[in-house]
Amino acid sequence: MIKIQTIYVKVRHWFFWYGVYGFCNKSCNDEITLYSDKGQKKFLGYFELTTEQSLKYLLKNDMDIIGDDKDYCDEIEGFINGKQDIHYFYIYPRDSEVDSLSRQVSHFAPTNIDGYKPVYIDMWTKLSKSWDIDEIKKSVRMLAKDFLYLDIEKVELIDIPNYEETKLSYEQDYLPYVK
């Protein structure tokens, strides 16, 4: 385990910030990018964070549970009904998708039977009901330990929009679709 001072986190969705500033409910599914520098030059990893609540919604509203999505749905149901608090779901490249081979993660991750690393890692959790800054930091500490073999002292969010920017984005990009 390598000890580092700070890991920097960029949250990729405005919905997270809408919830943080109280414009709507807190988000339950977010994508984050991790860096070892504030200037975002030293990429460490990209992850999706998904709460149990979001997985239940996905099963009920967005998935074909008996068709094309059956295996994925079965894995979600296994997690929801199981005893684990954290589960990692991996999407691996397919042989026919040459481009996806170049998108394999560079950090530690389990390989599939073809020896490929995932192109996408999703962290499913029962430990968080929704995402706020503290919950993101807690999850980043777990991801840093499990995948990057890093013991970090501090987690710092970067590119944080201020209240006014967030309100403007909410009013322009979200409100017109819910009215």
Side-chain angles (χ1 to χ4, degrees):
M1 187 84 52
I2 299 170
K3 189 169 187 94
I4 67 169
Q5 178 66 32
T6 305
I7 196 166
Y8 299 90
V9 182
K10 181 176 182 175
V11 178
R12 297 185 62 202
H13 294 136
W14 275 101
F15 280 109
F16 173 77
W17 298 110
Y18 298 162
V20 166
Y21 287 114
F23 297 116
C24 63
N25 292 334
K26 292 180 181 176
S27 67
C28 296
N29 175 258
D30 277 294
E31 297 175 4
I32 60 171
T33 308
L34 306 179
Y35 299 93
S36 64
D37 69 314
K38 199 171 196 168
Q40 302 173 47
K41 302 283 188 241
K42 298 176 184 169
F43 172 79
L44 293 175
Y46 167 74
F47 299 91
E48 182 164 340
L49 308 176
T50 307
T51 65
E52 180 181 22
Q53 177 182 340
S54 181
L55 291 169
K56 287 178 179 177
Y57 179 88
L58 184 67
L59 280 177
K60 183 177 179 183
N61 298 291
D62 291 338
M63 303 299 292
D64 180 1
I65 60 173
I66 58 172
D68 292 340
D69 301 323
K70 183 177 180 353
D71 291 341
Y72 184 62
C73 292
D74 289 348
E75 191 158 350
I76 291 171
E77 287 177 345
F79 170 68
I80 290 170
N81 297 320
K83 295 181 181 181
Q84 289 180 297
D85 289 330
I86 300 287
H87 177 75
Y88 296 111
F89 180 77
Y90 307 100
I91 297 175
Y92 292 94
R94 296 189 184 115
D95 286 328
S96 61
E97 298 175 354
V98 176
D99 182 50
S100 71
L101 292 176
S102 66
R103 293 186 284 124
Q104 295 177 81
V105 299
S106 59
H107 52 75
F108 165 77
T111 56
N112 67 2
I113 59 172
D114 297 318
Y116 299 136
K117 286 186 171 185
V119 294
Y120 197 81
I121 299 175
D122 193 349
M123 176 185 177
W124 299 344
T125 181
K126 294 177 183 172
L127 301 175
S128 301
K129 299 291 182 201
S130 60
W131 298 117
D132 61 22
I133 291 173
D134 289 335
E135 292 298 316
I136 293 279
K137 288 180 177 182
K138 182 170 75 175
S139 294
V140 166
R141 288 185 186 288
M142 287 185 261
L143 293 169
K145 179 182 172 214
D146 292 347
F147 292 99
L148 306 174
Y149 296 128
L150 296 175
D151 178 18
I152 53 177
E153 291 185 28
K154 184 178 171 189
V155 177
E156 183 177 322
L157 274 73
I158 53 176
D159 292 347
I160 300 173
N162 64 37
Y163 179 87
E164 291 77 22
E165 291 172 301
T166 306
K167 183 178 182 203
L168 181 62
S169 173
Y170 178 77
E171 291 169 349
Q172 291 178 347
D173 300 333
Y174 182 74
L175 276 183
Y177 297 102
V178 294
K179 288 186 177 186

